[in-house]
Amino acid sequence: MIKGSAPGRISGLAGDSGPERVLIAASFVNRVGNGLFNAASALYFTLVVGLPAAHVGAALTIAGLTGLLAGIPGGQLADRHGARLIMTAALTVQALSMAALVLVESWAALTVVATADQIAAAAGGAAWGALVARVGGERPARFRAKLRTFVNLGVILGTAGAGTAVALDTRAAYVALILGNAASFALCAALLLLLPRYPVLPAPERRRRWLAFSDRPFLTFTALYGAMGLQYPVVSLLLPIWISEHTEAPRWTVAALFAVNSAFCVLLQTRIGSRVETLRDGGGAFRAAGLLFLLSCPMMALAAHTPVWAAVGLVVAAVFVHSLGEVWESSAGFALGFGLAPDHAQGQYQGVLGLGFSAGQALAPVILTTVVLGLGTAGWLLLAVFFAALGTAGPPLARWGARTRPGPDVTTEAEARTTS
């Protein structure tokens, strides 16, 4: 028998406090808009505006690389002036720059507008991390897991809406997607005004301004997390190419695997992520993710050597295992990324972590398409071992981090072991 009323269960899933529910709602709205835009933006600029695909790619690459430079200063501003203020300002800039995209008719204009958007996105992302740390309260892992659940759900709904526009294939439909994303940024900024004005946390008198750059355990984790982030394009980029070029599976399998990946992440994130709270938990979760990827990658490779009926089932099963690993990996990222950072410097630390992750995502396409696809089955096996090796570093990294922290997480872990 399931205890509790349906409204009570829904309220619990949506957050344990008013600020949590506000931030979850803001995240959901924003990600619906992102899903609307990201799934069809390239088609708009190439088919409607008429820019060559190479020009669009170059503009977005320049914008992305420039934006990387804004994350750490944005996080520092959030620590010194308040995360809500910086996040609201960044969202306002993104709303304006996104709306301006409907006026873009040249490569230069696209580059300028996209660069403004990416600078605001990077600065806002670091401030967002600091805001999440403040709102999380006594059960930060539980809140972050719920937040990611609604983020994933928002992307799914937004992507479904984008599919409708792509099917219509008209300028009006694509413009509606862009303006819808702009509206999502504006609404997200408005929702953040409902949050309390959290006071800026005082920093110790004797401290380095850029503390994160001298924190060796955190920098090590940033490098590991950025490298483990290669797992995200495995499903979105590598596997679709592998299916279409090396397996007998029908092409609709590509769409099905996206649905399977998204659905499992939504269903499992809160259940698993809410249990990953301490640094010790995060280290174990990171190792579990590596072991799951060690299993999923060979399954994907094996699909090229099986009959069509077996290839479909094998790919779906592999994506399920990979999705489970993704949930453990993101939970580890929350526990270690936030747990290693001092409260007064969360924005700065999240900026550094975001830079490391974004750098990994920028390198991922060339690594996956040249190394893995170039080596074929051997490439998949090499990738599996790579993920597993990264994962094994999780527990010792967590212990190293715990030894070098001032004490709160160490105390928490000791209490957890005593009560377990």
Side-chain angles (χ1 to χ4, degrees):
M1 180 179 178
I2 300 176
K3 297 181 180 180
S5 64
R9 293 194 300 274
I10 295 173
S11 177
L13 182 61
D16 296 329
S17 67
E20 286 190 8
R21 286 189 283 273
V22 168
L23 198 56
I24 286 174
S27 300
F28 176 76
V29 167
N30 184 232
R31 293 300 178 158
V32 169
N34 290 166
L36 288 173
F37 178 73
N38 292 340
S41 58
L43 294 178
Y44 171 77
F45 294 119
T46 55
L47 300 181
V48 177
V49 179
L51 295 176
H55 289 187
V56 174
L60 298 180
T61 298
I62 292 172
L65 292 176
T66 305
L68 289 177
L69 304 176
I72 298 174
Q76 181 76 350
L77 287 173
D79 292 330
R80 298 179 65 179
H81 302 288
R84 191 187 74 160
L85 173 63
I86 301 304
M87 187 65 216
T88 303
L91 287 167
T92 301
V93 172
Q94 287 191 275
L96 294 174
S97 60
M98 189 59 55
L101 284 177
V102 301
L103 305 177
V104 165
E105 295 183 352
S106 68
W107 175 83
L110 174 60
T111 303
V112 171
V113 174
T115 298
D117 174 73
Q118 287 302 302
I119 289 174
W128 190 264
L131 197 57
V132 169
R134 296 300 296 272
V135 174
E138 297 181 357
R139 294 290 304 277
R142 178 179 171 85
F143 169 60
R144 293 164 196 156
K146 290 180 180 180
L147 187 63
R148 183 171 173 81
T149 296
F150 279 88
V151 162
N152 288 333
L153 184 59
V155 171
I156 293 172
L157 294 178
T159 302
T164 302
V166 172
L168 294 173
D169 196 27
T170 64
R171 180 183 180 87
Y174 286 115
V175 168
L177 293 183
I178 295 174
L179 295 181
N181 192 24
S184 77
F185 286 120
L187 179 55
C188 183
L191 287 171
L192 292 186
L193 297 179
L194 300 177
L195 291 174
R197 292 186 176 181
Y198 295 102
V200 175
L201 297 176
E205 292 184 4
R206 295 182 178 180
R207 69 176 181 93
R208 298 183 181 181
R209 182 178 181 183
W210 300 106
L211 183 62
F213 290 108
S214 62
D215 191 333
R216 289 184 295 173
F218 184 80
L219 291 177
T220 301
F221 172 66
T222 297
L224 293 173
Y225 190 61
M228 188 72 91
L230 264 67
Q231 62 90 5
Y232 289 101
V234 166
V235 174
S236 63
L237 173 67
L238 183 60
L239 187 56
I241 297 175
W242 183 256
I243 289 173
S244 62
E245 295 184 357
H246 298 276
T247 78
E248 297 299 325
R251 298 299 173 261
W252 57 260
T253 308
V254 172
L257 68 88
F258 281 112
V260 171
N261 177 243
S262 300
F264 280 127
C265 287
V266 168
L267 293 173
L268 297 172
Q269 186 68 60
T270 300
R271 181 180 296 273
I272 292 175
S274 60
R275 304 201 302 266
V276 183
E277 296 184 340
T278 66
L279 292 179
R280 184 186 184 189
D281 296 337
F286 202 69
R287 177 177 58 192
L291 293 175
L292 287 164
F293 297 143
L294 177 65
L295 178 61
S296 66
C297 288
M299 293 172 66
M300 296 175 186
L302 188 59
H305 308 284
T306 58
V308 59
W309 60 269
V312 174
L314 195 57
V315 167
V316 172
V319 170
F320 167 71
V321 175
H322 195 89
S323 302
L324 193 59
E326 180 179 330
V327 171
W328 280 109
E329 185 260 358
S330 65
S331 301
F334 286 142
L336 292 168
F338 286 99
L340 289 171
D343 291 338
H344 70 273
Q346 282 286 352
Q348 179 189 142
Y349 271 65
Q350 298 313 310
V352 173
L353 186 62
L355 176 61
F357 180 79
S358 298
Q361 294 302 290
L363 293 174
V366 66
I367 293 174
L368 295 178
T369 55
T370 58
V371 178
V372 179
L373 288 180
L375 295 176
T377 300
W380 281 101
L381 298 178
L382 182 63
L383 185 64
V385 173
F386 174 72
F387 285 141
L390 293 174
T392 59
L397 173 66
R399 291 192 293 269
W400 182 22
R403 288 195 304 269
T404 55
R405 300 308 98 178
D409 201 279
V410 178
T411 302
T412 301
E413 289 184 330
E415 291 174 354
R417 289 194 294 269
T418 302
T419 56
S420 61

